[in-house]
Structure formats: structure tokens, C-alpha cells
Amino acid sequence: MSGTFTKSTARNIFYGGSMFFFLLFVALTFDTNATLPKRDNSQNLTEQVARGKKVWETHDCIGCHTLLGEGAYFAPELGNVYVRRGPDFIKAWIKAQPTGAPGRRQMPQFHLTDAQLDDLVAFLKYTSEINTSKWPPNIEG
Amino acid sequence: MQYKSQAVAKPYFIAAIGLFAAQIVFGLIMGLQYVVGDFLFPAIPFNAARMVHTNLLIVWLLFGFMGGAYYLIPEESERELHSPALAKVMFWIFLIAGALTIIGYLAMPYAELARLSGNDILQTMGREFLEQPLPTKVGIVVVALAFLYNISMTVLAGRKTSISLVLLLGLWGLAIFFLFSFYNPANLVKDKYYWWWVVHLWVEGVWELILGSLLAYVLIKVTGVDREVIEKWLYVIIAMSLVTGLIGTGHHYYWIGAPEYWQWWGSVFSALEPIPFFMMTVFAFNMVNRRRREHPNKAATLWALGTGVMSFLGAGVWGFLHTLAPVNYYTHGTQITAAHGHIAFYGAYAMVVLTIISYAMPIMRGREANSEKSQIVEMWAFWIMTIAMVFITLFLTAAGILQVWLQRVSTTPMPFMAAQDQVAIFYWMREVTGVFFAAGLVLYIISFFIGGKSAKAA
């Protein structure tokens, strides 16, 4: 084995193999980008949704919650929360934090304005309409 | 130490260990918040503790990688570092910027930090692991470029070995893929798609090149096995890493709105991802068995073997456990992910940094190896931390399986918080094991302060 399989063979496999699979990955990415408009709900991507995403990001919601399964696992999945709870519940819930229940996980009070709450809800509605291949398995996320 | 400038690695290693200790403190805080939800609230909300925990991890590993590179590149290139002064300046810039960022996370609400740090200029914050404010992100790029300039100039001017070339490629890849952290479109699917170009292509791509080259370097040193043999193995392993890992990114694209063919690409290629880690274990044991010398630093050899085994367990086995699309459909975003994340990061990256520190630190302190007494304490620390991490992983896996059952599989699915209450016992056990891990780390730090005569080869 050591006679025929030399270091330079191994090196060529590394450079050739990685280059090939990287290009394949780039090609799949192009194809993904081309098909995304059918799945990513971008037709409903309004200014308000973009503002809502900013509210989501600047309050580090991902630091406790998951969104489409990514984030922290400390608090509920919110990709489908719009479907699970509806807009009014979401807004009332955020306004009522923290619950102050002893020993229970606490969500901070963010002092969001009504406009910010509406933006955030718009973002969560848009997110819930992305085609996620039927994930999560049920409404509980 | 063959070259004077290798000494710049020392502050990098010391900082790495210090930040590692801080990371564990915040890990313990979070672990407790899982069961005592209002612990330290509102002073340190969970999300702040988590940002500190994960960002410190990234930063201490980067310190470790940079220290490792500064240590081994002069020796591999057979010349002094291009600019030791630049390396020292960058160390302080990186450390101070890192500390300010952590203070920012803890001292004020995140929205306030975003406002003060210019998030309106270029909105990049608030995405998992990429929470750093804009100035920090720019700082990371500046430090990385200065570092790469320094290392690349050294390699170009000197001997070019496979180890230094692979390391260089890994480090350049790290810097290049980090640039995707500046891309944050309003389209959530695209945001997530390219977010993984940093996160996955780091830990399951270019970081593996860094891991492989650091491990190969230490194995050459402690076993005396012929460089040709070790470098050939290195190429085979990293070839398999990238061949499987690049398309393996697909296992993150199942449920974020990307096309469904990713379920096939992702499943097939990530099923192959354990192979390079398995090869790494075989490689490490093989080289140690064929060793031509007894290196007096037994602790470093132990860390090197441990890296092979634990990265295979963590990145390989625990990764494979939930990587197939039909399984991942149920486990995605549960404690199973947390279990995998813990053991994979410890086994692959924390341990390889501890390996290079274990090998290089005694030499930088003027001896080939630490005293027998010091090494015994270090090896105890190895076993306590490693076994504790295995149990942390097992408890989180148990929590995850139960969570999946209660919340997703059962005919009467429970809400998230109700399911969390049911699995609390495993969180308690994880927290206790976390205390053992911290004790192991304290022992590890103590081992640096145990003097005595340098150990001799057996």
C-alpha cells in the first residue's frame, strides 16, 4: 500500500476532491436560489416584516427561543407561534413579561412600542408561511 | 524551543485557558437557569449568559488556534516568525476587544448595545453565535488579516511542509467564510442559508484542517514517526472531511425553507461525516503504537489520543445520531442538538487546543516536559473533564429523547414548557456533572503551578 499510495497521491485527492465538492456545493446553491421564491414566502416580505426581523434580532430572541429549529433550546419554538397563538396573544404575552413566577424561566420586559409589536408579529406571520417541508411535526413546535 | 519568536504563543495560550474557565462559569449559570428559571434574573438573563458562553468558546478556541499556529509555524518553516511584534500587538487588541464585547453583553440590554455599536449602519447582530456588535466583527477581520499576513509571510519565506500548508489553508478558510457573517438579508431563508456558511463550514469544514494539522504536528513530535507517513494520513483525513462536510451542510437545510432535495444530499453526505473522525482515531493510535521514541510528555500524548477518540464520539457518532432527515424531523432543535454540540466541540476543538498547549507550554517554560507530579495532575484533569463531558452528553441526550417523545411523538403532544418540566431531573444531573467538569478544569489549571524536575523519557 505504501508503495503505490504516496503522499502526493493523497495530496491530489485532497485538492481535487475538495475542489470538486466545493464547486458542486456552489452549483447546488445556485439551484437553491433559483427555486427559493417558490418556498420562501418572499412575496409577503414587506417593509414591516423586515422591521420585525430587526426587532427580533436586536432583542436577541434567538438567545432563548428557536426559530425554524435553530437558536437556543431554553424557550419555545416560534417559527409557528403565529399559528399556535395568534397575533393578540403574542403581543399581550410580550407586554406581560416577566411573569415573576418563582423558579420559572423568565422572559425580560423589552418595552416594545405598539408599532414594534406589530412589526414583530408581521415577521412571525411571514415566518410561519415559509414552506418548511411540514416541520415542526405538530403545533407544539 | 528552537526559535525565539515561538514564545509569542505563550500569552495566547494563557488567555485561551482563562477564557475557557470563564466559559465554564457561564455554562454552570445557564445549566442552573434550566431548572431554577429565575436564577440571577434580571441581572443576567439566560440569553446574555448564553451569548457569553458560546462567544467565549469561539474566542478561546481562536486564541488557541492562533497560539498553536504561532508556535508551530516557525519550527515547520525553519525560520523566525515574520513579525513577533505584530503578533503581540494583535494579542492585546483581540483580548481587549473580546473583553469589551463580553462586558457589553452583560452590562446593558442587547437592544441598547445594538444601538450604541452601530447596528443601524450594517445590521448583523442577533443571530446565533454571530451576536457580536459591528465593531467586534470588523475587529475580528482586522486581527485575522494581520495574523494571516504574519503566518503566510513566514511560511512563504521558509520551508513549506504539508502541515503548515494545511494549517494555512484552514486559517484562510476560517477568515474567508467569516465574511458571510456580514450578509444578513431580510429574507429569513437566505439569512439562514448563508449563516451556515460561517457556522457549518467552520466547524465541519475548515476548522477540521486546523484540527488535523495541529494533531499531526504534535504526533510527529511525541512519536518520532516519519513525517512522510503522518502527512500522508493528514491529507487522506482532511480530504474525507471536506468531501463529506461540504455537501454535508445540507443537513441544516432540511426545514428552513430550502428545496427538499437537500434531505437527500444532506443525509447521504453527513452519514459519511463520521469516517474522517474514525480515521483520525485510528491514525492517532497507530502513530503512538509505532512510536520510535518515548517522549517524556505523556500528558500531551494522552490529550492527542483523547482528541481522536472524543472527536469521533462527539462529532462522528453523536452527529450521525440525528443527521438523517427522517430522524432529524423529530430531533431538530431539541436537547439532542445541545448534547451533540457539547461533546463535539469539546472532543474536537477544545481537546486539540489543550493538546497543543500541553505539548508546547512546558517547552516555552524551558523544559521538554513537566515534572511527573505535574503530569499526573494534568492527566487526572483530562479524565475528570472528559468523563464529565461524556455524562453531560448522556444526560442531555436522555433529556432530548424524552422531550422528543413528549412534545412531538406522543398522541397528545405537550407544550414546550410542560415537557421541559418533565425532563428536569436530567437537567439537574447535567448541572451536577458540570460541576465535576469545572473541578477538572481547576485541577488542570493547578497542574501549571506544580514545579519539580522535568520528567525523563521512560
Side-chain angles (χ1 to χ4, degrees):
Chain A
M1 158 122 176
S2 52
T4 50
F5 190 74
T6 62
K7 189 174 101 180
S8 68
T9 317
R11 186 183 56 216
N12 293 339
I13 292 175
F14 167 66
Y15 283 114
S18 344
M19 194 42 79
F20 176 80
F21 282 96
F22 184 70
L23 291 177
L24 179 61
F25 185 54
V26 170
L28 286 167
T29 297
F30 270 105
D31 185 73
T32 297
N33 264 296
T35 36
L36 270 192
K38 281 191 234 138
R39 303 175 54 92
D40 66 4
N41 194 25
S42 48
Q43 70 279 10
N44 293 320
L45 188 52
T46 59
E47 283 293 315
Q48 191 184 26
V49 169
R51 286 198 305 273
K53 185 166 183 273
K54 191 174 172 190
V55 173
W56 168 268
E57 285 168 355
T58 50
H59 293 83
D60 194 37
C61 305
I62 206 85
C64 294
H65 292 276
T66 50
L67 190 69
L68 305 187
E70 285 154 8
Y73 321 109
F74 189 70
E77 163 67 33
L78 298 186
N80 63 349
V81 72
Y82 185 86
V83 186
R84 181 166 67 237
R85 299 295 199 182
D88 297 331
F89 180 95
I90 295 172
K91 288 191 269 188
W93 180 259
I94 295 172
K95 281 187 194 167
Q97 299 304 313
T99 61
R104 193 183 160 85
R105 297 181 193 172
Q106 297 294 321
M107 175 162 148
Q109 173 54 251
F110 293 114
H111 306 289
L112 299 181
T113 63
D114 285 337
Q116 284 178 313
L117 286 169
D118 286 333
D119 295 346
L120 186 59
V121 164
F123 170 65
L124 292 171
K125 179 172 189 293
Y126 146 85
T127 303
S128 71
E129 290 162 0
I130 291 170
N131 180 351
T132 55
S133 310
K134 300 194 174 66
W135 192 91
N138 67 55
I139 194 72
E140 295 300 349
Chain B
M1 208 165 55
Q2 280 173 275
Y3 298 90
K4 254 197 350 259
S5 55
Q6 284 179 289
V8 297
K10 199 169 161 183
Y12 281 86
F13 288 155
I14 294 171
I17 295 169
L19 296 171
F20 181 25
Q23 188 213 345
I24 300 311
V25 169
F26 280 87
L28 290 174
I29 293 174
M30 294 163 72
L32 197 53
Q33 285 177 335
Y34 256 91
V35 274
V36 184
D38 53 1
F39 177 66
L40 290 182
F41 186 86
I44 306 179
F46 180 86
N47 73 306
R50 185 178 195 262
M51 273 191 292
V52 175
H53 181 67
T54 54
N55 282 243
L56 279 176
L57 169 69
I58 299 167
V59 172
W60 86 258
L61 291 179
L62 291 181
F63 268 111
F65 290 165
M66 289 198 268
Y70 282 137
Y71 183 84
L72 75 79
I73 287 295
E75 220 170 277
E76 289 289 300
S77 309
E78 295 183 333
R79 70 188 303 281
E80 294 288 355
L81 205 58
H82 180 69
S83 167
L86 182 64
K88 281 181 207 158
V89 171
M90 283 303 139
F91 169 78
W92 287 107
I93 292 179
F94 196 32
L95 189 66
I96 292 168
L100 286 176
T101 307
I102 300 296
I103 291 170
Y105 290 159
L106 291 171
M108 62 187 90
Y110 191 70
E112 184 66 8
L113 180 64
R115 195 181 61 77
L116 288 176
S117 62
N119 194 53
D120 288 334
I121 303 168
L122 182 64
Q123 198 181 316
T124 67
M125 287 172 72
R127 295 173 305 148
E128 193 188 6
F129 311 128
L130 304 181
E131 296 95 347
Q132 307 82 25
L134 188 59
T136 310
K137 284 203 181 79
V138 174
I140 291 173
V141 172
V142 171
V143 170
L145 286 179
F147 161 74
L148 284 169
Y149 163 77
N150 212 346
I151 294 289
S152 303
M153 291 305 279
T154 314
V155 172
L156 285 178
R159 180 177 70 148
K160 292 158 196 67
T161 67
S162 301
I163 287 179
S164 55
L165 290 176
V166 170
L167 180 64
L168 211 52
L169 203 61
L171 293 166
W172 273 102
L174 182 154
I176 289 166
F177 287 115
F178 183 69
L179 296 179
F180 284 92
S181 73
F182 291 95
Y183 176 61
N184 181 18
N187 183 331
L188 185 67
V189 181
K190 284 189 180 166
D191 170 8
K192 283 178 174 282
Y193 189 94
Y194 291 102
W195 177 82
W196 284 112
W197 283 48
V198 188
V199 178
H200 175 97
L201 294 184
W202 266 17
V203 297
E204 289 167 70
V206 291
W207 281 26
E208 287 185 33
L209 308 189
I210 301 170
L211 161 66
S213 54
L214 292 179
L215 194 61
Y217 170 81
V218 172
L219 285 172
I220 287 179
K221 297 295 167 179
V222 298
T223 65
V225 170
D226 192 23
R227 177 181 281 275
E228 278 296 299
V229 179
I230 288 187
E231 291 186 335
K232 181 165 78 183
W233 264 92
L234 174 64
Y235 275 126
V236 176
I237 290 171
I238 58 169
M240 275 314 290
S241 303
L242 291 194
V243 163
T244 60
L246 285 167
I247 308 291
T249 318
H251 62 230
H252 303 295
Y253 293 162
Y254 299 161
W255 327 114
I256 64 165
E260 267 152 33
Y261 57 68
W262 281 112
Q263 293 182 24
W264 289 99
W265 289 101
S267 297
V268 170
F269 279 85
S270 48
L272 302 172
E273 277 190 67
I275 296 173
F277 289 103
F278 181 70
M279 289 165 75
M280 197 127 58
T281 309
V282 176
F283 165 58
F285 276 89
N286 225 330
M287 294 308 132
V288 170
N289 284 335
R290 290 160 65 171
R291 65 181 176 267
R292 295 192 178 159
R293 61 178 295 219
E294 282 294 338
H295 195 279
N297 193 341
K298 293 201 173 54
T301 314
L302 180 64
W303 281 112
L305 292 175
T307 304
V309 174
M310 293 299 288
S311 64
F312 171 62
L313 263 185
V317 176
W318 252 268
F320 177 70
L321 225 57
H322 62 142
T323 202
L324 300 177
V327 178
N328 190 261
Y329 181 68
Y330 291 100
T331 61
H332 180 53
T334 65
Q335 292 298 322
I336 305 273
T337 317
H340 162 59
H342 278 80
I343 192 166
F345 261 97
Y346 174 74
Y349 299 118
M351 283 181 88
V352 80
V353 170
L354 297 178
T355 302
I356 182 87
I357 291 179
S358 182
Y359 170 75
M361 207 59 170
I363 300 174
M364 285 192 287
R365 297 169 83 196
R367 48 183 176 261
E368 195 181 9
N370 286 328
S371 68
E372 296 279 359
K373 239 174 93 185
S374 162
Q375 285 195 43
I376 287 171
V377 174
E378 187 181 341
M379 289 194 264
W380 269 98
F382 167 93
W383 287 108
I384 294 172
M385 283 197 278
T386 304
I387 292 171
M389 187 49 81
V390 168
F391 276 93
I392 287 173
T393 306
L394 289 173
F395 292 142
L396 286 178
T397 307
I401 293 172
L402 199 53
Q403 179 191 8
V404 166
W405 181 260
L406 294 172
Q407 194 187 319
R408 291 189 177 161
V409 179
S410 147
T411 43
T412 49
M414 269 186 198
F416 178 89
M417 282 307 295
Q420 291 292 303
D421 285 342
Q422 296 297 312
V423 305
I425 177 76
F426 293 111
Y427 293 142
W428 275 114
M429 295 202 284
R430 180 268 298 269
E431 182 69 357
V432 171
T433 327
V435 173
F436 277 96
F437 187 94
L441 178 57
V442 169
L443 212 54
Y444 174 76
I445 292 170
I446 288 174
S447 79
F448 283 87
F449 298 97
I450 297 175
K453 261 178 59 181
S454 175
K456 289 276 171 292

